[in-house]
Amino acid sequence: MAKTKKAWFCQSCGTQHPQWMGQCKSCHAWNTLVEEVLERESAPTSWADPQAGLERAKAMPLSEVDRHAEQRHATGDAELDRVLGGGLVPGSIVLLGGEPGIGKSTLLLQIALGLGEKVLYVSGEESAQQIRMRAERVGLQGKGCHVLAETSTAKILQSAEQLKPSVLIVDSIQTAHNPQLDSAAGSVSQIREATAEFLRYAKARHVPVILVGHITKDGHLAGPKVLEHMVDVVLQFEGDRHHLFRMLRALKNRFGSTQELGIYQMHGHGLQGVANPSGLLLGQREEGLSGSAVGIPSEGMQPLLVEVQALVSSAVYGTPQRACTGFDTRRLNMLLAVLEKRCGFRLGAKDVFLNVTGGLRVEDPALDLAVCAAILSSNADIPIPSGMAFAAEVGLGGEIRPVHRIEQRINEAGKLGFDHVFCARQNGVNAGTMQGVQVVPVRRMEDLVTALFG
Ligand code: TYD
Ligand code: MG
């Protein structure tokens, strides 16, 4: 009988242990170790063979490396190309993560159909008929798009070898499995092995490979952490399923910035890139309501105008509630503490709810000032005059801190008809008009309170 090598893997962090233990040594999670087959002695050589292609390995001076070899492959989708940093790099692996139903399969099928080149779209989750129905729904012809409903990595790569596609798409890595390994599809060793096989294929054939990755309950990519180390680009597709907008971000990008944000809208006939998100986001804004303020976060190079809504009311139960959508709850608690301690607002006994409209999740701290303004406005029940926007970070001392790219933010506000922008005094912009916008530099939280409510 063939000898097999086995080890124990933590299903939560992917650490390998030589024997079973109750608690993982690395992440300290309990009862997460599962025995998995590492390799079989009788494994035949194939793409799965790490030795394959070794004869090509030869060190060379960096200056002799062909710089032009890495021509980017534009996908034709302006948002995706921007997030990738200009298109797919040949021989790279892109991992696209996201919650179920967010639109990963739709996005990739649209790319496959829109490329107009030979693309192999492999699905382990849907049948060829289902893919065809989806293609008809998004209304694209896609002459060069070939589909394959398969989960075995050997068969997928065999078919790729025959077809020689210019892009390979695998939906999803959790369904791909190597029959040589005993463990079930989706387990740590299967995911790692399957990714390694696609990686070897990508590097050997200079073909970009896009993998779909599932996401766990707590929002991390399912599978071992090494998966994220192995791939070149990790993209995350996020947004509220009940909202129109879907956001595409790069969490890791070996070939570009991780700052860019792509915004899509889900229609009845597929996903569509949104060219003017600020206009759409502010379109549904109601004027004259207290608790609403407009912030100017900048995700990547493009500043956005978003509406922040706050509701401050007396807590009915003992412990006041704090809830956020689209903003970090810990950051909200910090801002509330600053307002309480530095400005004397009694918010400790109040429920505070915060909402960034449009289903957007904002990470830029430049939204802080708008969040504070919305809270103060709701607390005092005085609306903020329309035409005012805010772009600054708030420090623990109650000081208003500068943010980058302030001119671009002010410009964007001006384009959308705003006439006042509050920013930090240290931002280096002087009070006065800039592109028709009145710039109001503030130094401390108290200055904002005086400017808004007198
Ligand atoms: P899907 O792309 O299958 O998501 P994932 O692969 O991330 O699980 O699902 C997309 C969702 O969007 C699904 O619930 C149906 C809906 N949808 C539309 O609203 N319009 C469309 O044109 C398509 C194809 C899907
Ligand atoms: Mg899917």
Side-chain angles (χ1 to χ4, degrees), residues 100-101 103-106 121 123 125-126 134 171 212 214:
K104 302 179 292 296
S105 309
T106 309
Y121 181 95
S123 180
E125 305 191 338
E126 287 164 298
R134 191 194 292 262
D171 185 3
V212 169
H214 290 171

PDB file of all heavy atoms in Angstrom, residues 100-101 103-106 121 123 125-126 134 171 212 214, ligand 2:
ATOM      1  N   PRO A 100     -21.764  35.512  -0.275  1.00  0.00           N
ATOM      2  CA  PRO A 100     -22.605  34.874  -1.285  1.00  0.00           C
ATOM      3  C   PRO A 100     -23.658  35.848  -1.804  1.00  0.00           C
ATOM      4  O   PRO A 100     -24.219  36.620  -1.024  1.00  0.00           O
ATOM      5  CB  PRO A 100     -23.269  33.710  -0.545  1.00  0.00           C
ATOM      6  CG  PRO A 100     -22.768  33.715   0.834  1.00  0.00           C
ATOM      7  CD  PRO A 100     -21.775  34.799   1.009  1.00  0.00           C
ATOM      8  N   GLY A 101     -23.871  35.822  -3.099  1.00  0.00           N
ATOM      9  CA  GLY A 101     -24.923  36.643  -3.694  1.00  0.00           C
ATOM     10  C   GLY A 101     -24.533  38.083  -3.942  1.00  0.00           C
ATOM     11  O   GLY A 101     -25.341  38.880  -4.387  1.00  0.00           O
ATOM     12  N   GLY A 103     -22.342  39.100  -6.131  1.00  0.00           N
ATOM     13  CA  GLY A 103     -22.171  39.314  -7.578  1.00  0.00           C
ATOM     14  C   GLY A 103     -20.812  38.935  -8.127  1.00  0.00           C
ATOM     15  O   GLY A 103     -20.424  39.414  -9.190  1.00  0.00           O
ATOM     16  N   LYS A 104     -20.079  38.071  -7.421  1.00  0.00           N
ATOM     17  CA  LYS A 104     -18.745  37.662  -7.904  1.00  0.00           C
ATOM     18  C   LYS A 104     -18.850  36.934  -9.238  1.00  0.00           C
ATOM     19  O   LYS A 104     -18.132  37.248 -10.189  1.00  0.00           O
ATOM     20  CB  LYS A 104     -18.061  36.723  -6.878  1.00  0.00           C
ATOM     21  CG  LYS A 104     -17.904  37.309  -5.518  1.00  0.00           C
ATOM     22  CD  LYS A 104     -17.241  36.326  -4.575  1.00  0.00           C
ATOM     23  CE  LYS A 104     -18.078  35.110  -4.229  1.00  0.00           C
ATOM     24  NZ  LYS A 104     -19.314  35.372  -3.489  1.00  0.00           N
ATOM     25  N   SER A 105     -19.755  35.949  -9.300  1.00  0.00           N
ATOM     26  CA  SER A 105     -19.882  35.174 -10.536  1.00  0.00           C
ATOM     27  C   SER A 105     -20.348  36.065 -11.677  1.00  0.00           C
ATOM     28  O   SER A 105     -19.874  35.942 -12.801  1.00  0.00           O
ATOM     29  CB  SER A 105     -20.860  34.026 -10.344  1.00  0.00           C
ATOM     30  OG  SER A 105     -20.528  33.293  -9.204  1.00  0.00           O
ATOM     31  N   THR A 106     -21.274  36.970 -11.375  1.00  0.00           N
ATOM     32  CA  THR A 106     -21.775  37.868 -12.412  1.00  0.00           C
ATOM     33  C   THR A 106     -20.649  38.745 -12.946  1.00  0.00           C
ATOM     34  O   THR A 106     -20.479  38.882 -14.155  1.00  0.00           O
ATOM     35  CB  THR A 106     -22.905  38.754 -11.837  1.00  0.00           C
ATOM     36  OG1 THR A 106     -23.855  37.916 -11.207  1.00  0.00           O
ATOM     37  CG2 THR A 106     -23.569  39.575 -12.905  1.00  0.00           C
ATOM     38  N   TYR A 121     -13.873  29.862 -18.543  1.00  0.00           N
ATOM     39  CA  TYR A 121     -14.601  30.146 -17.304  1.00  0.00           C
ATOM     40  C   TYR A 121     -15.002  28.808 -16.700  1.00  0.00           C
ATOM     41  O   TYR A 121     -15.844  28.108 -17.244  1.00  0.00           O
ATOM     42  CB  TYR A 121     -15.824  31.001 -17.627  1.00  0.00           C
ATOM     43  CG  TYR A 121     -16.649  31.386 -16.423  1.00  0.00           C
ATOM     44  CD1 TYR A 121     -16.459  32.593 -15.771  1.00  0.00           C
ATOM     45  CD2 TYR A 121     -17.630  30.534 -15.924  1.00  0.00           C
ATOM     46  CE1 TYR A 121     -17.206  32.936 -14.669  1.00  0.00           C
ATOM     47  CE2 TYR A 121     -18.382  30.862 -14.818  1.00  0.00           C
ATOM     48  CZ  TYR A 121     -18.166  32.069 -14.200  1.00  0.00           C
ATOM     49  OH  TYR A 121     -18.912  32.407 -13.095  1.00  0.00           O
ATOM     50  N   SER A 123     -16.618  26.661 -13.648  1.00  0.00           N
ATOM     51  CA  SER A 123     -17.463  26.820 -12.473  1.00  0.00           C
ATOM     52  C   SER A 123     -17.645  25.480 -11.785  1.00  0.00           C
ATOM     53  O   SER A 123     -17.970  24.483 -12.431  1.00  0.00           O
ATOM     54  CB  SER A 123     -18.819  27.399 -12.870  1.00  0.00           C
ATOM     55  OG  SER A 123     -19.604  27.529 -11.711  1.00  0.00           O
ATOM     56  N   GLU A 125     -19.652  25.504  -9.198  1.00  0.00           N
ATOM     57  CA  GLU A 125     -20.874  25.778  -8.447  1.00  0.00           C
ATOM     58  C   GLU A 125     -22.105  25.761  -9.320  1.00  0.00           C
ATOM     59  O   GLU A 125     -23.196  25.520  -8.842  1.00  0.00           O
ATOM     60  CB  GLU A 125     -20.755  27.147  -7.766  1.00  0.00           C
ATOM     61  CG  GLU A 125     -19.511  27.222  -6.916  1.00  0.00           C
ATOM     62  CD  GLU A 125     -19.457  28.426  -6.015  1.00  0.00           C
ATOM     63  OE1 GLU A 125     -20.145  29.404  -6.320  1.00  0.00           O
ATOM     64  OE2 GLU A 125     -18.721  28.356  -5.021  1.00  0.00           O
ATOM     65  N   GLU A 126     -21.917  26.046 -10.619  1.00  0.00           N
ATOM     66  CA  GLU A 126     -23.073  26.116 -11.498  1.00  0.00           C
ATOM     67  C   GLU A 126     -22.849  25.228 -12.707  1.00  0.00           C
ATOM     68  O   GLU A 126     -21.709  24.989 -13.104  1.00  0.00           O
ATOM     69  CB  GLU A 126     -23.266  27.567 -11.976  1.00  0.00           C
ATOM     70  CG  GLU A 126     -23.797  28.466 -10.918  1.00  0.00           C
ATOM     71  CD  GLU A 126     -23.617  29.927 -11.274  1.00  0.00           C
ATOM     72  OE1 GLU A 126     -22.468  30.360 -11.421  1.00  0.00           O
ATOM     73  OE2 GLU A 126     -24.618  30.618 -11.421  1.00  0.00           O
ATOM     74  N   ARG A 134     -27.251  32.888 -17.301  1.00  0.00           N
ATOM     75  CA  ARG A 134     -26.747  34.134 -16.727  1.00  0.00           C
ATOM     76  C   ARG A 134     -26.174  35.028 -17.830  1.00  0.00           C
ATOM     77  O   ARG A 134     -26.379  36.234 -17.841  1.00  0.00           O
ATOM     78  CB  ARG A 134     -25.674  33.826 -15.689  1.00  0.00           C
ATOM     79  CG  ARG A 134     -25.300  35.022 -14.858  1.00  0.00           C
ATOM     80  CD  ARG A 134     -24.037  34.760 -14.110  1.00  0.00           C
ATOM     81  NE  ARG A 134     -24.192  33.758 -13.075  1.00  0.00           N
ATOM     82  CZ  ARG A 134     -24.393  34.047 -11.799  1.00  0.00           C
ATOM     83  NH1 ARG A 134     -24.495  35.287 -11.443  1.00  0.00           N
ATOM     84  NH2 ARG A 134     -24.495  33.097 -10.911  1.00  0.00           N
ATOM     85  N   ASP A 171     -14.283  29.517 -10.547  1.00  0.00           N
ATOM     86  CA  ASP A 171     -15.322  29.911  -9.580  1.00  0.00           C
ATOM     87  C   ASP A 171     -15.783  28.633  -8.881  1.00  0.00           C
ATOM     88  O   ASP A 171     -16.525  27.856  -9.440  1.00  0.00           O
ATOM     89  CB  ASP A 171     -16.471  30.562 -10.368  1.00  0.00           C
ATOM     90  CG  ASP A 171     -17.557  31.114  -9.476  1.00  0.00           C
ATOM     91  OD1 ASP A 171     -17.408  31.046  -8.252  1.00  0.00           O
ATOM     92  OD2 ASP A 171     -18.566  31.601 -10.013  1.00  0.00           O
ATOM     93  N   VAL A 212     -12.178  32.708  -7.467  1.00  0.00           N
ATOM     94  CA  VAL A 212     -13.198  33.255  -6.570  1.00  0.00           C
ATOM     95  C   VAL A 212     -12.997  32.613  -5.214  1.00  0.00           C
ATOM     96  O   VAL A 212     -12.730  31.414  -5.133  1.00  0.00           O
ATOM     97  CB  VAL A 212     -14.615  32.944  -7.104  1.00  0.00           C
ATOM     98  CG1 VAL A 212     -15.666  33.270  -6.061  1.00  0.00           C
ATOM     99  CG2 VAL A 212     -14.876  33.719  -8.375  1.00  0.00           C
ATOM    100  N   HIS A 214     -14.540  32.171  -1.170  1.00  0.00           N
ATOM    101  CA  HIS A 214     -15.691  32.409  -0.290  1.00  0.00           C
ATOM    102  C   HIS A 214     -15.234  33.177   0.943  1.00  0.00           C
ATOM    103  O   HIS A 214     -14.069  33.213   1.282  1.00  0.00           O
ATOM    104  CB  HIS A 214     -16.310  31.089   0.152  1.00  0.00           C
ATOM    105  CG  HIS A 214     -17.002  30.393  -0.958  1.00  0.00           C
ATOM    106  ND1 HIS A 214     -17.483  29.129  -0.855  1.00  0.00           N
ATOM    107  CD2 HIS A 214     -17.274  30.790  -2.224  1.00  0.00           C
ATOM    108  CE1 HIS A 214     -18.036  28.770  -2.001  1.00  0.00           C
ATOM    109  NE2 HIS A 214     -17.916  29.766  -2.842  1.00  0.00           N
TER     110      HIS A 214
HETATM  111 MG    MG B   2     -21.132  32.554  -7.422  1.00  0.00          MG
END
